Amino acid sequence: MIGYYVHHHGLGHRNRATQIARELTVPVVGFSSLGRPEGWPGEWVWLPEDTTEHPVDPTAHGVLHWAPLGHPGHRERLGLIAEWLRSDVDLMVTDTSAEVTLLARLMGVPTVVLAMRGDRTDRTHRAAYDAATALIAPWSRETAEPYWPEAWTRKTTFTGAISRFDEPVAPAPRDAGPTGATPGMRDSDPSGGVPETPVPDPAGIVSALPDADPAGAAPALQGTGSSGVVPALQDGETSGVVPGERVLVVWGRGGTEVGDAQIDAARAATPGWAWTVRTPDAPSPDLWRELHEATVVVTHGGNNAVAELSAVQAHAVVVAQPRPHDEQEATAAALDRAGICVGLARWPEAHEWPGLLARALTLGGERWERWRHGDGAHRAARAMEELLSGGVR
């Protein structure tokens, strides 16, 4: 059996885990403080939360990322995972937690870490990546992180982007099992039940974008109408919009430095373009269609957002938002370096937008084949099952 730990900030980790799990041909059990996602093909163990406003030595003097002393939720969640590692789990996948990775390895269970871009050279990340039996990178070998040590690269499967729009490769899913979390685990939930998390998300992509701010995300773009379209120009103003020239802005739940003023300034500086904004508060009724219809898509550098761009081979401008370890900045830099789309470390000044949109039109299309293979989830699942069958590297 494969165990699969799913990080609980945002929904991107859970969406990616579900894509991969549905490609597995062996039993899988999920572990998370999030509710069981629709379509999860196995058991799901809900983990109590371990957040606190006043943690005691949460980093163990800089050795770990989060292990607060004396926190009952933290002790309980690791205890639940340890019970499964002791008796049932033969391979542990983490997306992502250095502490769970090290726990599994200390118990003699092979581990797979879903790698993330950005600077992972801090002490804790190095320990987890070094100790992992294997790494899975949801990007291509061609666009790999240039600073990685050979020891990491040697044990990495580069799957290419993993998009919810990819066609499944595996046979029809197995019996999905119980509809809630694993019976017997509910007594760890003070509410007396499993906190399922239904996610109405007509837009699809926006709920996949990670919320990297555990204290509460900054507000998403405000000031759009219920349709998500940036307010129209006032009477007497001329837009110069050419039919068919459309910018689609897709923004997510995570912290952002972009608001009304920046969007309005960009729109005013590009009179030949109609700008539409989609956020969790103003979702798209059909994002797949809108992504295809857009002339240029503007989004942040979240892994899942970029994966969806690759699926439609969009002409795009990817703007990094602040994240720990400069994750999005590294993604935008890799895209720009590979000539796949325009990648920026910050939201540009208004006067820069005409040139950026023009440049975006010269990129995209088949260039996205450098980023994705079209079956990333399947490749990840096969790599996991290879390790499960004894292919330890």
Side-chain angles (χ1 to χ4, degrees):
M1 171 181 281
I2 292 178
Y4 207 126
Y5 175 84
V6 179
H7 195 38
H8 51 278
H9 290 154
L11 298 173
H13 299 283
R14 188 178 70 170
N15 289 342
R16 179 166 60 193
T18 303
Q19 292 292 107
I20 294 172
R22 290 175 63 84
E23 294 287 341
L24 292 169
T25 60
V26 299
V28 60
V29 55
F31 301 91
S32 183
S33 294
L34 294 173
R36 181 182 182 211
E38 181 179 353
W40 182 261
E43 296 183 84
W44 189 265
V45 178
W46 181 78
L47 302 175
E49 296 184 2
D50 61 355
T51 55
T52 175
E53 293 183 1
H54 304 289
V56 179
D57 190 19
T59 68
H61 303 291
V63 176
L64 302 172
H65 284 152
W66 187 257
L69 289 174
H71 193 297
H74 183 73
R75 182 178 300 181
E76 179 70 8
R77 65 191 283 121
L78 290 184
L80 291 173
I81 295 171
E83 280 299 307
W84 281 83
L85 290 169
R86 184 182 66 83
S87 57
D88 295 292
V89 172
D90 303 297
L91 175 72
M92 190 67 183
V93 180
T94 61
D95 185 4
T96 178
S97 166
E99 291 74 22
V100 175
T101 301
L102 296 173
L103 172 67
R105 184 60 188 85
L106 284 169
M107 294 186 69
V109 176
T111 56
V112 176
V113 172
L114 266 292
M116 300 178 71
R117 287 194 183 270
D119 183 2
R120 307 293 163 173
T121 59
D122 63 279
R123 185 177 182 181
T124 310
H125 272 114
R126 274 196 170 274
Y129 282 36
D130 287 346
T133 309
L135 302 172
I136 289 178
W139 54 82
S140 65
R141 182 180 292 273
E142 184 178 355
T143 60
E145 293 288 79
Y147 76 88
W148 269 27
E150 173 58 27
W152 292 2
T153 302
R154 189 168 54 248
K155 61 182 178 181
T156 298
T157 297
F158 294 92
T159 65
I162 298 174
S163 168
R164 71 176 65 197
F165 297 134
D166 291 340
E167 289 293 329
V169 177
R174 303 172 305 283
D175 179 8
T179 57
T182 301
M185 299 303 169
R186 299 187 182 194
D187 58 0
S188 64
D189 175 12
S191 68
V194 178
E196 189 63 34
T197 312
V199 186
D201 183 17
I205 183 176
V206 292
S207 70
L209 308 181
D211 177 358
D213 180 8
L221 294 171
Q222 302 294 320
T224 58
S226 60
S227 67
V229 179
V230 174
L233 298 171
Q234 300 299 313
D235 290 342
E237 292 182 300
T238 58
S239 68
V241 171
V242 178
E245 299 286 40
R246 305 177 184 180
V247 175
L248 175 66
V249 180
V250 183
W251 228 248
R253 297 178 186 273
T256 177
E257 295 183 331
V258 180
D260 287 352
Q262 290 89 343
I263 294 288
D264 288 344
R267 175 173 58 84
T270 55
W273 297 76
W275 288 62
T276 300
V277 180
R278 298 302 185 190
T279 74
D281 296 325
S284 169
D286 186 346
L287 188 67
W288 181 247
R289 175 182 58 80
E290 288 197 323
L291 286 171
H292 275 284
E293 291 178 350
T295 312
V296 174
V297 181
V298 176
T299 190
H300 59 78
N303 181 75
N304 289 281
V306 174
E308 317 304 26
L309 295 180
S310 73
V312 298
Q313 298 190 327
H315 301 294
V317 177
V318 173
V319 184
Q321 292 295 284
R323 292 294 183 271
H325 309 284
D326 295 326
E327 177 190 349
Q328 290 199 14
E329 187 172 334
T331 298
L335 289 165
D336 200 76
R337 189 167 57 242
I340 295 171
C341 70
V342 177
L344 304 173
R346 57 165 179 79
W347 186 266
E349 298 296 326
H351 68 85
E352 298 178 87
W353 275 106
L356 291 170
L357 295 178
R359 182 178 169 224
L361 290 175
T362 69
L363 305 174
E366 293 183 355
R367 292 170 182 258
W368 281 107
E369 294 177 5
R370 304 173 189 174
W371 194 264
R372 72 186 294 270
H373 307 302
D375 60 350
H378 181 74
R379 292 179 184 229
R382 294 293 75 78
M384 295 172 188
E385 292 187 351
E386 179 184 339
L387 287 176
L388 193 63
S389 63
V392 177
R393 302 180 186 183

